Amino acid sequence: MDHCLRWFKGACKFYNAIIVIVMLGFMAIGGASCSSTKTIGLNCQERQIEIYVDDEYLGRDLVYYTVPKGREYIEVSCRENGIEVYHRRINVKDRKGTLIELQIPKNYKYSSKPF
C-alpha cells in the first residue's frame, strides 16, 4: 500500500509539472503575439479616396492596418485618381485598436508643409 501511495504522489508531481510547462508555453505565445503587433483602423468618408500606408495601397472607405512591432509612426497618404490629396504622419505608439478618421479638407492641394 505504501508503494502505491508513493507512486501516486510521484505521478501527480509529474503531471503537475507537465501542466505548468504547457501553461507557461501558452502564456509566452499569447504574450508575444499581443505585444508584437497592433491593428488600427483608418476611415475616410469620401469613398473615391484611395488610402495608402507607407506607400502600400490598403483600399477605400474603411481599412485596417497591422502596425509592425516597434513602429511609432506611419505615413498615411490619400489619393484620388492617382494624385495625392492628403498626407499625414501619424503617431501610432499608443493607438492599439483605435479608429483614425481621415478628414480631407475641401479644395485641398497637396503641400509639403507640416500640419
Side-chain angles (χ1 to χ4, degrees), residues 87-111:
H87 185 261
R88 184 172 158 204
R89 185 175 191 214
I90 299 175
N91 183 337
V92 292
K93 184 177 181 182
D94 298 319
R95 289 197 177 203
K96 182 176 184 174
T98 60
L99 178 65
I100 299 169
E101 291 282 338
L102 303 173
Q103 299 291 329
I104 300 173
K106 299 295 178 199
N107 300 320
Y108 180 84
K109 299 292 182 190
Y110 177 72
S111 171

Side-chain angles (χ1 to χ4, degrees), residues 22-66:
V22 169
M23 290 180 70
L24 287 173
F26 281 126
M27 289 171 55
I29 291 169
S33 65
C34 290
S35 64
S36 61
T37 61
K38 58 186 155 197
T39 301
I40 59 169
L42 300 162
N43 184 35
C44 180
Q45 294 295 326
E46 299 180 42
R47 296 182 184 257
Q48 77 279 9
I49 299 296
E50 303 160 338
I51 302 171
Y52 289 77
V53 174
D54 296 330
D55 289 324
E56 177 185 342
Y57 175 71
L58 297 182
R60 299 170 192 247
D61 194 21
L62 174 62
V63 297
Y64 294 95
Y65 180 72
T66 301

Side-chain angles (χ1 to χ4, degrees), residues 1-19:
M1 181 79 167
D2 193 35
H3 173 70
C4 290
L5 187 58
R6 273 187 273 149
W7 179 88
F8 181 74
K9 286 182 180 180
C12 285
K13 286 182 183 178
F14 175 76
Y15 288 118
N16 284 340
I18 295 295
I19 290 171

Side-chain angles (χ1 to χ4, degrees), residues 62-82:
L62 174 62
V63 297
Y64 294 95
Y65 180 72
T66 301
V67 181
K69 181 179 179 179
R71 293 283 304 273
E72 292 187 15
Y73 294 93
I74 59 171
E75 298 287 331
V76 176
S77 172
C78 296
R79 302 175 191 172
E80 185 173 12
N81 297 323

